[in-house]
Amino acid sequence: GLNDPQKSAVHRWVDSRPNQDLCSKLASDETQSWYRGYVMSRRLTRTEYNNAVRDLLQLEVPADRQMPEDGAGGEGFDTVGDTLFTSTIHLEAYLTVATELIDRLLDPEDANLPEPARRRREQWMQKQSEDGDRVFLQSLARLAWRRPVTDSEVDRLMMLVQPMPESTSAVSSLENLSRLRSALAALMVSPHFLFVVEAEPEQGGVQRLSPHQLAMRVSLLLWSSIPDESLLASADDKSIYDDGQLRAQVRRMLNDPRSRALGESFGLQLLGLKSFAQVQPDASIYASFNEQLKYDMQEEVILFVSSLFRDNRSLNELIEADYTFANHRLAEHYGWPETDS
């Protein structure tokens, strides 16, 4: 159970809730005339951008190419559009990352290319060989931009494609794909990739999210990344609007390792622990505290919060759970006895 100081802290947290009746201010059919019907477009956070690049290319953004840290809004989360400004530093970094990673993916001499990236390159080469440049770019843009792509948009991308050499007999599949290098990089520096775009609806007031907007919101919540092919397909045929289909997609995505993002992004921010990595207690008082223990503590929170959603457990367990996720170092720090499990 909780001791008196801990109970007092919980009571203070409960009493700090807003005094306003916020539920009465939610958009509804009766109040829709007061709402514009759209929200501010915002850029992807650094975490979302890193994950989107990883899922598109199967390559990680290098540590020395990371975007600047995102600030948190008044709500304590880094996804508030008002705080996600885009600077020239961001633009230069986006272009650098896109060109360097595309070049690496298409470099036949890169012996250190990870196996997932090699498989992605082979998939692209096969798809381009089967479908040709217009169709291949259209399908890839759909995945990167999370929505159907128009013919005019594909035409603009095709303007960046190098022409096929006159003698094509000696051109390898990789060389053929490399002709699209500039177009592939353009996909990744487009606002359609870098921003969460929810276009203003034709009608004012409260409007239903489009299926692709809904898919993006679900993917950002569960994975902090872009939708995969399965989720996009459910948006294409509008089956994502069916409660049963949406639940099935959510269950599938929660069972994917990428759902760890619920703990890393949402969980740490929900509990005010995003900056925990910067904590450095007085070593003269806490001599046993070190970087490894700090990592273990943060990992405990990530695994715990992720498991609540993955296993469909009650949010009350954030306060009253009688279990946690601790390795031997953390268990020793907490003074728990050794177990065989």
Side-chain angles (χ1 to χ4, degrees), residues 147-299:
R147 60 166 175 78
V149 182
T150 66
D151 291 340
S152 62
E153 289 174 325
V154 177
D155 289 340
R156 288 197 292 273
L157 289 172
M158 285 296 296
M159 294 175 64
L160 301 174
V161 176
Q162 297 177 2
M164 178 71 77
E166 292 185 6
S167 175
T168 60
S169 58
V171 175
S172 68
S173 297
L174 182 55
E175 288 174 320
N176 190 26
L177 182 64
S178 297
R179 297 170 38 250
L180 280 61
R181 177 180 275 104
S182 296
L184 296 175
L187 286 177
M188 296 176 58
V189 296
S190 166
H192 301 298
F193 179 74
L194 300 173
F195 283 76
V196 182
V197 180
E198 295 184 1
E200 181 178 352
E202 294 181 3
Q203 304 86 6
V206 180
Q207 302 295 327
R208 192 181 200 181
L209 287 173
S210 76
H212 294 89
Q213 291 169 354
L214 177 57
M216 185 60 175
R217 287 200 184 187
V218 169
S219 189
L220 287 176
L221 174 63
L222 301 183
W223 286 349
S224 293
S225 186
I226 57 179
D228 65 357
E229 180 58 44
S230 177
L231 188 60
L232 273 182
S234 71
D236 290 343
D237 63 15
K238 296 183 172 57
S239 64
I240 195 172
Y241 282 147
D242 178 79
D243 286 345
Q245 291 290 330
L246 180 56
R247 287 177 183 272
Q249 287 287 350
V250 169
R251 284 194 294 269
R252 176 186 68 83
M253 296 173 72
L254 285 174
N255 287 327
D256 189 286
R258 284 172 285 186
S259 65
R260 172 185 167 87
L262 273 169
E264 284 183 323
S265 296
F266 177 71
L268 290 179
Q269 294 184 76
L270 175 70
L271 299 174
L273 296 174
K274 185 185 177 186
S275 60
F276 182 71
Q278 280 74 54
V279 170
Q280 194 60 50
D282 189 335
S284 64
I285 301 176
Y286 303 97
S288 63
F289 190 88
N290 53 39
E291 290 300 313
Q292 185 62 62
L293 190 61
K294 183 193 300 185
Y295 172 83
D296 294 339
M297 289 179 169
Q298 183 167 289
E299 191 71 4

Side-chain angles (χ1 to χ4, degrees), residues 38-57:
Y38 61 96
V39 298
M40 174 187 294
S41 295
R42 66 168 180 85
R43 66 168 172 82
L44 298 176
T45 66
R46 181 168 79 165
T47 297
E48 292 167 347
Y49 173 77
N50 287 346
N51 293 344
V53 171
R54 175 204 64 202
D55 291 343
L56 184 66
L57 304 180

Side-chain angles (χ1 to χ4, degrees), residues 15-209:
D15 292 339
S16 68
R17 67 190 186 281
N19 294 322
Q20 307 174 53
D21 181 12
L22 298 178
C23 290
S24 65
K25 297 186 178 183
L26 295 175
S28 65
D29 290 339
E30 295 179 357
T31 62
Q32 66 173 330
S33 61
W34 295 94
Y35 294 87
R36 294 178 295 175
Y38 61 96
V39 298
M40 174 187 294
S41 295
R42 66 168 180 85
R43 66 168 172 82
L44 298 176
T45 66
R46 181 168 79 165
T47 297
E48 292 167 347
Y49 173 77
N50 287 346
N51 293 344
V53 171
R54 175 204 64 202
D55 291 343
L56 184 66
L57 304 180
Q58 295 298 303
L59 282 173
E60 301 285 348
V61 176
D64 60 348
R65 291 288 186 257
Q66 294 292 318
M67 302 298 147
E69 279 279 5
D70 300 308
E75 295 82 356
F77 291 90
D78 61 8
T79 54
V80 179
D82 287 339
T83 66
L84 290 172
F85 59 88
T86 306
S87 66
T88 54
I89 296 177
H90 285 93
L91 297 177
E92 292 172 358
Y94 289 140
L95 182 59
T96 299
V97 169
T99 53
E100 289 187 358
L101 290 187
I102 289 294
D103 285 347
R104 186 183 179 194
L105 187 69
L106 301 180
D107 182 5
E109 305 298 327
D110 189 344
N112 296 318
L113 191 67
E115 186 58 31
R118 291 182 185 276
R119 291 196 296 268
R120 179 53 49 89
R121 184 172 67 187
E122 291 171 359
Q123 292 170 355
W124 285 7
M125 289 189 297
Q126 180 178 356
K127 190 166 183 61
Q128 185 203 20
S129 176
E130 294 172 350
D131 298 340
D133 294 342
R134 300 202 60 193
V135 175
F136 169 72
L137 279 178
Q138 190 167 38
S139 63
L140 193 59
R142 166 183 165 275
L143 185 63
W145 295 350
R146 294 89 70 178
R147 60 166 175 78
V149 182
T150 66
D151 291 340
S152 62
E153 289 174 325
V154 177
D155 289 340
R156 288 197 292 273
L157 289 172
M158 285 296 296
M159 294 175 64
L160 301 174
V161 176
Q162 297 177 2
M164 178 71 77
E166 292 185 6
S167 175
T168 60
S169 58
V171 175
S172 68
S173 297
L174 182 55
E175 288 174 320
N176 190 26
L177 182 64
S178 297
R179 297 170 38 250
L180 280 61
R181 177 180 275 104
S182 296
L184 296 175
L187 286 177
M188 296 176 58
V189 296
S190 166
H192 301 298
F193 179 74
L194 300 173
F195 283 76
V196 182
V197 180
E198 295 184 1
E200 181 178 352
E202 294 181 3
Q203 304 86 6
V206 180
Q207 302 295 327
R208 192 181 200 181
L209 287 173

